[in-house]
Amino acid sequence: MEVTDIMTTLRQRRGGRPAEAAEEQPSEEKNVKPDGKIQSDHTGGKLWNILSLTVGGIVAVCLGLLTSVYVATLHENDLWFSNIKEVEREISFRTECGLYYSYYKQMVQAASIQQGLHGLVYDNKTESVRTINILERMNVYQEVFLSILYRILPIQQYLEPVYFYIYTLFGLQAVYVIALYVTSWLLSGTWLSGLLAAFWYITNRIDTTRVEFTIPLRENWALPFFAVQIAAITYLLRTHLQPAHERLTLLAVFIATLLFSLTWQFNQFMMLIQALVLFILDCFDMLPTAKVTWLYIIQVSGLLLVCVLQFFNSMILGSLLISFNASVLIARTIQKNLKKGGLLNRLGKLFLHVLFVSCLTLLVNKLIKKILNLESDEHIFKFLKAKFGFGATRDFDANLYLCEEAFGLLPLNTFSRLSDTLLFYVYIFVLFPMTVAAAIVAFRNLSGSTKVGKFVEKMEDWTIALKPGAAYNLIHTVLFGCLALSTMRMKYLWTSHMCVFASFGLCSTEVWGLILKCVRLYTSQRTCVIRYSLPIITLLYISYKFWPGIMDELSELREFYDPDTVELMNWIKSNTPNTAVFAGSMQLLAGVKLCTGRILTNHPHYEDKNLRERTKQIYQIYAKRSPEDVYKILRSFGTDYVILEDSICYERRHSRGCRLRDLLDIANGHVAGLLFTIGS
């Protein structure tokens, strides 16, 4: 059989799939045939689509709002937030959360917006004997925007500043859930899938979000925008998009990328993984090259705009993402014939392409950091080097991360919790055939297997299940799954997308069609019954099993109680001058700044080399150092008061070798024998 005959066969096969044809490209015959019945069916189909879109949209908005109310109620019930004192409310914003909220409070209380902005740009209270630009150093534009909005809206008499702040964060949870819902709907073609994704997100709340007890945390601002970006990318990758729709979608991707990048300091690392997703799929010719190029450009342009808004933050310029995306675009220009040739030829070209991009990325990144003298993110690479077994380290910052549970491996009990809602089982069930499909499609694309008609026809069954949007979400969930498995703190990026991916697979015509064809049980009616019945059964099971628990959770009332910290903050406000400088642990000092407005020596925002060195010096109060040495260190930072904590002096949370005093002794070279216990 000749190649032309094979292509004809494939065209006939595509034409023989009415479900796909209806979804991707309406048949021209139906539009021109003067049969009244067909026209009536077409009109009825349009009305049904409009009704489905309306109902699905209403369900999405309702679920989003219900999620916001749910987490807000949990927060109120846990702390009795409406009844406790202002100082107790502020203490409830633990560690870095309190630091970020303090800038919102500072802007709200400033005499004018201009004075508030001036206080942030020329801040001399966050780090003693030093003036820093908060807008350049930290991602607090959201606090600035919210404080300005609070000042200009006529709501001061009805709503306290703290409630305006927390309700905004809880409102963003509605955006988050709606974005997850829409992504699943786009992938599967039915809003039932979005409903299941939202149910899974809510019932797995412990593993999908922590917004109700870490409200101001940067990820709670950023992840809703990241979910919106993924939904927009999924829509962008649909075939046969109108040019106007494509441009609007690209704009939506850009805005979501910008907001995500502006609200979280770790944006560059998350988008680097996303860029790797695009790179892998582009290498195997599974995404349209033009759209991938646009996404690379959007990532870089969004990050550069954030760099400008953050007063040319050097850490952004030295990010691996900018170096990687620039290297990919350069390599594409040089290696123009990557997607031509046979299997071995393509594999050879692909190997050289990956090698060239990797080397060029490292070279460009090294060059940028050398020119700009950047060292802001070196602690992250030291941590990664030690974490993945490339040698033990005495570095204090790296060991501080290694000893924190949040930066360890994902605990196994996470999977048992996810399995209770059937989420993990369904996720694995969907992941396996999709991965096999991706491998076969990648092999076909690399080998150009159009010489054997029968083989191609078999391959065509697999391509049904792997449209560009599905391929993107598949590799996305795999790479972010690897990130979550290696670092527990990043699990929230994976588990929320797990809800989307599992619900899509359970409601997908393509996935079920593929599975049924493999076991020779395929009929369109059987596929339709399964794709609707199983999700409904799953929803009923989840509702039956978890509804009583959710009701009990909402009825459980507790109260914030931390009298020691309240007493400390009240004592500081009553007995120390406004210009007093306080030294202590990063976590507690963030609360000191928020509750009292006093000057700090150090704080939890760790993305600055000078601050990391300063923190290590301040922590010598817990090390084996002479009183004279400690006094000199403290006075060099203008310290007036030191806060010592029993929880650090008599620490039991960490094992021997991971206690703060042990880490300091190791870094100072006072104890060599403890080095082997780090991270154990």
Side-chain angles (χ1 to χ4, degrees):
M1 186 187 293
E2 293 182 359
V3 173
T4 52
D5 293 331
I6 293 172
M7 297 310 292
T8 304
T9 304
L10 291 180
R11 287 193 202 99
Q12 289 171 347
R13 286 177 63 81
R14 290 192 183 98
R17 295 199 306 272
E20 267 66 38
E23 180 182 333
E24 296 293 335
Q25 191 172 7
S27 172
E28 293 181 6
E29 286 188 329
K30 286 189 179 181
N31 295 332
V32 298
K33 218 169 183 180
D35 189 328
K37 186 174 184 299
I38 292 177
Q39 291 294 336
S40 176
D41 290 347
H42 182 67
T43 304
K46 286 184 73 173
L47 288 173
W48 173 254
N49 288 338
I50 291 170
L51 179 63
S52 177
L53 190 65
T54 304
V55 173
I58 292 171
V59 171
V61 172
C62 290
L63 281 170
L65 293 175
L66 283 172
T67 304
S68 295
V69 172
Y70 174 53
V71 293
T73 305
L74 289 177
H75 175 257
E76 169 64 24
N77 290 356
D78 190 48
L79 301 175
W80 203 6
F81 200 74
S82 59
N83 193 62
I84 58 179
K85 299 175 183 177
E86 184 68 22
V87 65
E88 292 175 310
R89 290 177 180 175
E90 292 177 347
I91 291 170
S92 72
F93 297 137
R94 302 285 186 180
T95 65
E96 61 187 289
C97 297
L99 181 68
Y100 298 133
Y101 181 77
S102 73
Y103 299 119
Y104 168 77
K105 178 182 175 182
Q106 182 178 326
M107 281 289 296
V108 169
Q109 293 180 346
S112 66
I113 293 173
Q114 291 79 5
Q115 189 173 328
L117 289 171
H118 185 273
L120 293 180
V121 175
Y122 301 97
D123 180 277
N124 54 14
K125 287 196 166 187
T126 302
E127 295 178 17
S128 59
V129 300
R130 192 179 180 194
T131 299
I132 63 173
N133 185 344
I134 298 298
L135 295 180
E136 181 263 333
R137 179 81 74 78
M138 304 181 197
N139 298 70
V140 294
Y141 267 101
Q142 52 268 48
E143 276 76 20
V144 172
F145 172 76
L146 216 57
S147 62
I148 294 173
L149 200 61
Y150 181 78
R151 294 176 71 113
I152 63 177
L153 291 175
I155 57 174
Q156 289 88 345
Q157 294 180 354
Y158 315 105
L159 195 64
E160 295 176 62
V162 66
Y163 277 105
F164 184 66
Y165 187 89
I166 66 173
Y167 286 165
T168 300
L169 266 300
F170 293 144
L172 276 177
Q173 282 295 297
V175 176
Y176 198 2
V177 170
I178 291 170
L180 298 175
Y181 181 106
V182 169
T183 305
S184 187
W185 187 358
L186 288 170
L187 288 168
S188 66
T190 172
W191 58 261
L192 184 63
S193 172
L195 179 63
L196 183 56
F199 263 62
W200 266 329
Y201 178 84
I202 294 167
T203 52
N204 291 283
R205 177 185 54 80
I206 293 173
D207 295 301
T208 55
T209 183
R210 49 180 175 166
V211 67
E212 74 274 14
F213 61 90
T214 59
I215 298 173
L217 208 61
R218 301 300 82 180
E219 69 188 47
N220 294 328
W221 285 97
L223 292 187
F225 299 122
F226 194 49
V228 170
Q229 187 222 42
I230 294 168
I233 290 174
T234 303
Y235 183 77
L236 177 70
L237 294 176
R238 292 171 76 114
T239 54
H240 311 300
L241 269 186
Q242 296 292 331
H245 292 171
E246 187 171 316
R247 285 192 293 270
L248 285 173
T249 308
L250 284 169
L251 178 62
V253 173
F254 174 76
I255 293 171
T257 302
L258 175 64
L259 292 174
F260 170 68
S261 303
L262 194 61
T263 51
W264 197 15
Q265 69 267 30
F266 294 132
N267 57 70
Q268 52 178 292
F269 303 105
M270 303 308 111
M271 288 202 294
L272 177 62
I273 295 175
Q274 193 176 52
L276 288 172
V277 173
L278 298 171
F279 180 70
I280 291 168
L281 292 169
D282 186 44
C283 285
F284 291 112
D285 204 17
M286 296 165 76
L287 294 182
T289 302
K291 291 181 180 180
V292 171
T293 303
W294 271 114
L295 291 173
Y296 282 140
I297 293 170
I298 284 173
Q299 281 190 328
V300 173
S301 57
L303 209 55
L304 289 177
L305 184 53
V306 170
C307 179
V308 173
L309 289 172
Q310 289 193 257
F311 296 80
F312 296 94
N313 186 310
S314 57
M315 185 175 171
I316 295 175
L317 292 174
S319 68
L320 273 174
L321 175 70
I322 291 178
S323 303
F324 177 78
N325 285 12
S327 301
V328 171
L329 296 174
I330 292 169
R332 269 211 204 147
T333 306
I334 296 172
Q335 298 173 295
K336 293 183 178 179
N337 297 319
L338 276 173
K339 299 182 179 179
K340 294 180 181 178
L343 177 61
L344 293 178
N345 193 359
R346 286 285 301 274
L347 285 174
K349 288 179 180 179
L350 187 58
F351 174 77
L352 291 175
H353 181 61
V354 172
L355 185 63
F356 180 66
V357 168
S358 302
C359 293
L360 188 59
T361 298
L362 295 175
L363 181 63
V364 170
N365 191 253
K366 188 82 172 175
L367 190 62
I368 291 173
K369 288 185 174 179
K370 188 77 173 175
I371 293 171
L372 299 177
N373 192 27
L374 300 180
E375 297 176 314
S376 299
D377 57 356
E378 65 174 7
H379 65 299
I380 296 174
F381 295 104
K382 287 180 180 178
F383 160 69
L384 291 174
K385 181 181 175 183
K387 181 178 178 67
F388 293 110
F390 295 103
T393 178
R394 289 183 176 275
D395 184 76
F396 174 74
D397 303 315
N399 286 336
L400 199 62
Y401 280 112
L402 285 170
C403 286
E404 284 299 322
E405 185 182 3
F407 293 94
L409 300 177
L410 188 66
L412 292 177
N413 61 8
T414 305
F415 300 107
S416 64
R417 288 194 301 271
L418 295 173
S419 299
D420 286 342
T421 61
L422 304 181
L423 173 59
F424 187 64
Y425 296 134
V426 175
Y427 177 76
I428 295 299
F429 174 76
V430 175
L431 187 64
F432 178 73
M434 291 289 287
T435 304
V436 173
I440 292 177
V441 171
F443 175 77
R444 187 202 62 183
N445 291 345
L446 286 177
S447 60
S449 304
T450 55
K451 295 180 181 178
V452 184
K454 217 177 225 186
F455 182 69
V456 173
E457 287 179 8
K458 286 183 180 178
M459 292 289 230
E460 190 64 17
D461 289 341
W462 292 94
T463 53
I464 297 170
L466 212 66
K467 293 174 184 175
Y472 170 81
N473 280 274
L474 169 65
I475 307 302
H476 179 102
T477 197
V478 169
L479 292 193
F480 277 95
C482 293
L483 176 66
L485 291 171
S486 66
T487 308
M488 186 184 74
R489 184 176 176 178
M490 298 302 170
K491 72 175 179 178
Y492 302 102
L493 289 151
W494 182 44
T495 49
S496 58
H497 191 265
M498 186 189 288
C499 300
V500 171
F501 194 77
S503 60
F504 142 66
L506 205 61
C507 299
S508 171
T509 304
E510 292 83 3
V511 172
W512 282 114
L514 175 62
I515 293 170
L516 291 175
K517 283 175 184 176
C518 289
V519 295
R520 301 183 183 279
L521 293 173
Y522 175 78
T523 65
S524 58
Q525 293 83 0
R526 187 174 288 145
T527 304
C528 189
V529 169
I530 292 174
R531 75 180 290 233
Y532 286 114
S533 60
L534 279 182
I536 291 172
I537 291 169
T538 305
L539 284 167
L540 291 173
Y541 168 79
I542 294 172
S543 302
Y544 173 77
K545 184 172 182 180
F546 291 96
W547 181 257
I550 290 174
M551 290 297 100
D552 289 342
E553 193 177 33
L554 289 173
S555 62
E556 187 177 351
L557 301 178
R558 289 185 290 270
E559 183 179 355
F560 176 85
Y561 185 74
D562 190 355
D564 293 340
T565 308
V566 171
E567 184 182 1
L568 171 65
M569 298 305 170
N570 288 334
W571 184 90
I572 291 172
K573 284 194 286 186
S574 304
N575 297 279
T576 65
N578 292 336
T579 56
V581 178
F582 279 80
S585 69
M586 297 182 289
Q587 295 79 4
L588 185 58
L589 288 186
V592 170
K593 184 181 188 312
L594 171 58
C595 298
T596 70
R598 300 303 188 263
I599 302 171
L600 312 181
T601 55
N602 54 308
H603 55 82
H605 195 273
Y606 220 49
E607 279 66 54
D608 179 78
K609 185 180 181 182
N610 290 327
L611 176 68
R612 292 195 296 272
E613 183 56 36
R614 175 185 281 234
T615 299
K616 180 182 173 183
Q617 289 299 312
I618 295 295
Y619 278 2
Q620 297 303 314
I621 58 178
Y622 296 109
K624 294 179 179 178
R625 300 288 295 270
S626 68
E628 294 78 14
D629 288 346
V630 172
Y631 178 79
K632 286 178 184 178
I633 291 170
L634 293 174
R635 289 306 300 158
S636 69
F637 296 116
T639 307
D640 297 313
Y641 297 89
V642 181
I643 303 175
L644 293 171
E645 298 171 59
D646 287 346
S647 58
I648 296 177
C649 294
Y650 307 110
E651 186 175 1
R652 290 181 174 84
R653 186 168 68 93
H654 293 111
S655 60
R656 185 172 180 267
C658 268
R659 297 169 300 186
L660 180 60
R661 61 184 186 272
D662 296 335
L663 300 182
L664 289 164
D665 291 340
I666 292 168
N668 294 336
H670 294 159
V671 179
L674 290 174
L675 186 60
F676 72 96
T677 64
I678 294 296
S680 61

